[in-house]
Amino acid sequence: MSGLGDQLEAFSRTVDFEVFRPELNKTLAYSDGSKGGRPPFDPVLMFKILVIQTLNNLSDERTEYLINDRLSFMRFLGLGLSDRVPDAKTVWLFRERLTQAGAIETLFDRFNATLRNAGYLPMSGQILDATLVAAPRQRNTNAEKADLREGQIPQDWQDKPSKLSHKDRHARWTLKFTKAKRQEDGSVPATDLAIPFFGYKSHISIDRKFRLIRKWKVTDAAASDGARLREGLLDKTNMASTVWADTAYRSKANEDFMEKHGFVSKVHRKKPHLKPMPRHIQRSNAGKSVVRSRVEHVFADQKSQTGLFVRTVGITRATMRIGLANIVYNMRRSLLLERINAAA
């Protein structure tokens, strides 16, 4: 397996998973075993199972099966053929305890500190962007949708706790615009396509030098991209003050906020309403796009390599899912950076 290139072996060699133990122990607060009963699984082992899940986009049941089936998974977890393997319910309970405790932000910061100590300091400015993350679609009536938009629980759901637990009250519908495809005769339609989309939105800030995720936030799919800039998405520890972003982040409020806090805006400028784009703004935006486009590689990696998708219900669990995807992306990125450094 080593000769064929086991990615999990590279994870074990490069990532020190023990750095997560203090936060995991603090969050889980297991008993000392004085009351008896079966001892819990090692929290670092359980966290590594979540890493396997995220890397391979697995359900809890599929995870249990593949740990028993794959030698590479067992080796990564430090399990032998005769060792007890956590079942699907145990994996769910472990992730749920971390979710309800809001531990994913602290775990992300813990690994980010490890990257800094390894020399990967945020530098050369930062790039902001957001992407839509799909969630299971809900079949609600118009009246139920109206209640949800107002932050209320529909009357028919209040007396049905089982139904309520399966209803996602935080995900929202939005329109995803995409370029129209070229027709058979070679012409391109004048209007873009608007595709309905249901789910959440992942907002991130990466540093330009190493392209590691430094700040992140999760909202419903209909939330504005630009407003998130003023909600802690900017990394004040970056060694350069420049900020790149697309036109969704261009507003007077954002420009004033960045100027007040010492950031230099390289945000794309919008096209004037009903007027052609001036040539000097076109050239300026084109130059900014060379830098800004690097953030798209992060989302492409997450969706192609780990199949980023929210299987759960509610924004709290969606935050856990997307937060894990961000941690795993930084792990995979750190492996690449280590290989680049070794080859230099």
Side-chain angles (χ1 to χ4, degrees), residues 200-256:
Y200 293 92
K201 189 175 288 186
S202 171
H203 309 261
I204 65 170
S205 170
I206 69 169
D207 68 290
R208 180 187 177 189
K209 174 67 174 179
F210 298 113
R211 305 184 195 179
L212 292 164
I213 299 174
R214 304 294 183 172
K215 296 287 184 179
W216 60 281
K217 188 178 182 68
V218 177
T219 64
D220 63 77
S224 167
D225 292 0
R228 309 287 83 77
L229 181 145
R230 306 188 300 275
E231 296 179 356
L233 202 58
L234 290 176
D235 183 12
K236 297 180 180 179
T237 66
N238 196 294
M239 300 177 69
S241 57
T242 316
V243 177
W244 284 268
D246 61 26
T247 55
Y249 296 86
R250 169 68 69 168
S251 68
K252 186 177 185 306
N254 283 350
E255 294 299 308
D256 292 343

Side-chain angles (χ1 to χ4, degrees), residues 49-177:
I49 290 178
L50 297 187
V51 170
I52 288 176
Q53 269 195 317
T54 306
L55 274 171
N56 299 277
N57 191 25
L58 302 174
S59 65
D60 295 336
E61 290 75 14
R62 187 66 176 168
T63 300
E64 178 188 355
Y65 172 78
L66 288 178
I67 292 174
N68 284 283
D69 181 67
R70 292 191 180 181
L71 291 175
S72 60
F73 285 11
M74 284 193 171
R75 181 169 67 167
F76 175 64
L77 298 173
L79 295 174
L81 293 176
S82 60
D83 290 335
R84 186 166 60 98
V85 173
D87 59 19
K89 184 64 173 180
T90 302
V91 175
W92 183 89
L93 287 172
F94 176 79
R95 186 178 59 251
E96 188 70 6
R97 290 187 69 172
L98 295 182
T99 301
Q100 298 306 321
I104 189 62
E105 289 88 354
T106 308
L107 293 170
F108 178 89
D109 292 340
R110 179 85 61 173
F111 186 64
N112 197 22
T114 302
L115 294 173
R116 291 169 182 265
N117 294 335
Y120 300 118
L121 299 172
M123 57 180 66
S124 303
Q126 55 193 300
I127 311 171
L128 276 61
D129 205 358
T131 190
L132 294 169
V133 181
R137 297 186 177 186
Q138 305 286 293
R139 307 301 183 199
N140 302 326
T141 65
N142 291 333
E144 290 171 344
K145 292 177 183 178
D147 288 338
L148 292 175
R149 282 193 294 268
E150 296 175 1
Q152 301 176 0
I153 300 177
Q155 185 67 33
D156 293 342
W157 299 0
Q158 295 180 9
D159 298 331
K160 300 176 182 178
S162 179
K163 181 176 182 178
L164 182 61
S165 66
H166 289 83
K167 288 292 187 179
D168 196 330
R169 290 172 283 149
H170 304 115
R172 291 290 183 271
W173 285 97
T174 188
L175 291 177
K176 180 180 180 180
F177 293 93

Side-chain angles (χ1 to χ4, degrees), residues 24-61:
L24 292 173
N25 288 335
K26 179 182 176 182
T27 301
L28 299 169
Y30 287 142
S31 66
D32 58 5
S34 59
K35 295 183 179 180
R38 177 179 288 182
F41 285 98
D42 179 69
V44 174
L45 178 146
M46 296 300 299
F47 183 73
K48 292 169 80 172
I49 290 178
L50 297 187
V51 170
I52 288 176
Q53 269 195 317
T54 306
L55 274 171
N56 299 277
N57 191 25
L58 302 174
S59 65
D60 295 336
E61 290 75 14

